[in-house]
Amino acid sequence: MKQVLEFEKPVMELREKIAELKEFTSESDVDLSEEIQTLEERLVKLEADVYGNMKPWDRVQMARHAERPTTLDYIHELFTGFLEFHGDRRFGDDEAIVAGVAKYKDQPVTVIGHQRGKDTKENIRRNFGMPHPEGYRKALRHMKQAEKFNRPIVCFIDTKGAYPGKAAEERGQSEAIARNLMEMAGLKVPVICVVIGEGGSGGALGLGVGDRIHMLENSTYSVISPEGAAALLWKDSGRAQQAAESMMITSYDLKQLNVIDEIIPEIKGGAHRDVSTQAENIDYVLEQSLKELKQLSQEELLEERWEKYKKIGSYSIREE
């Protein structure tokens, strides 16, 4: 059964009504084409109204949609010859992060991303997309390999956050993320990051230092989840919707703050409605970014990256 979000229920109900009328028309001699056309026209307007005026909490729900495309879905659509590698050569393999080499328009690239599951069994295997330290070390191993062979790096970000369990802390979770931040800042190859779902806290940042940072329109990127923020601020995680309204975690908020470079438009109703078309939208931005970055020398690349991060956010100096 498809997941229907609360704010889009009127759209789904109207779609079902249209489908029922079409089925009735096909099975009987009654012509309801005029009524169907009227409802379809109303549906177009309703979709524009519902999906064109989404609130921050609506986008949080969309980013968490159970059917939302994952890293592997986009790898299948955007790249050819993907060869996945496993393990960090220290502890083991973390399936919450996938990493490997592929070709993008006949150019070798390294692709890394968080990976959620499609069902309960796979989510358990992939730890719901929340990496352990070995996941970040696996990612870094392949980033350094990409640097050695002069391959651009594409990172897909989609995680609630790094796994906070005892075992992860014992194996150096914070150190693994911090090392990724430091190493990614100095990589001598182009790095393009795309937030495709939830970009949660340090778990997202561990793959999020790049020359270009893009976000799908209905994805989120934040230092903490709305539930976590509500629990800290008001001791009530039930006020998550209120927290989301003020946290500035949507793509439009972050574009305004210079945290991201481009907002990648989504299919009306969410990326899960048409993965192939959504991949085409990502493809356009990805191709443009690579074209721009390939023209830079290593020195220019590092200098622009440094300048980019100095400009993130906004602040004012108050004179006493």
Side-chain angles (χ1 to χ4, degrees), residues 29 41 81 102 138 170 216 219 229 255 275 298 319-320:
D29 295 329
E41 291 173 357
K138 174 171 69 172
E170 288 174 343
L216 267 61
S219 57
K255 174 66 174 175
V275 180
Q298 288 185 354
E319 295 184 1
E320 298 294 339

Side-chain angles (χ1 to χ4, degrees), residues 82-107:
F82 176 66
L83 177 62
E84 184 178 356
F85 297 128
H86 300 273
D88 68 342
R89 293 184 177 173
R90 294 188 186 186
F91 181 82
D93 186 43
D94 184 356
E95 294 193 69
I97 286 183
V98 296
V101 294
K103 282 192 175 181
Y104 177 71
K105 302 185 186 300
D106 293 324
Q107 176 184 358

Side-chain angles (χ1 to χ4, degrees), residues 72-85:
L72 286 174
D73 291 326
Y74 289 125
I75 287 176
H76 174 74
E77 294 285 342
L78 293 166
F79 305 94
T80 57
F82 176 66
L83 177 62
E84 184 178 356
F85 297 128

Side-chain angles (χ1 to χ4, degrees), residues 206-218:
L207 299 184
V209 180
D211 303 290
R212 297 289 187 273
I213 303 175
H214 308 307
M215 284 180 70
L216 267 61
E217 185 178 5
N218 294 324

Side-chain angles (χ1 to χ4, degrees), residues 28-66:
S28 67
D29 295 329
V30 181
D31 184 9
L32 298 175
S33 56
E34 289 188 11
E35 290 82 352
I36 292 172
Q37 183 179 351
T38 300
L39 290 179
E40 285 178 336
E41 291 173 357
R42 187 187 304 173
L43 178 62
V44 171
K45 295 178 181 179
L46 183 61
E47 285 182 329
D49 182 55
V50 170
Y51 296 121
N53 296 284
M54 291 172 63
K55 297 178 181 178
W57 183 246
D58 298 333
R59 297 191 192 279
V60 169
Q61 299 301 302
M62 190 70 78
R64 295 172 175 175
H65 199 287

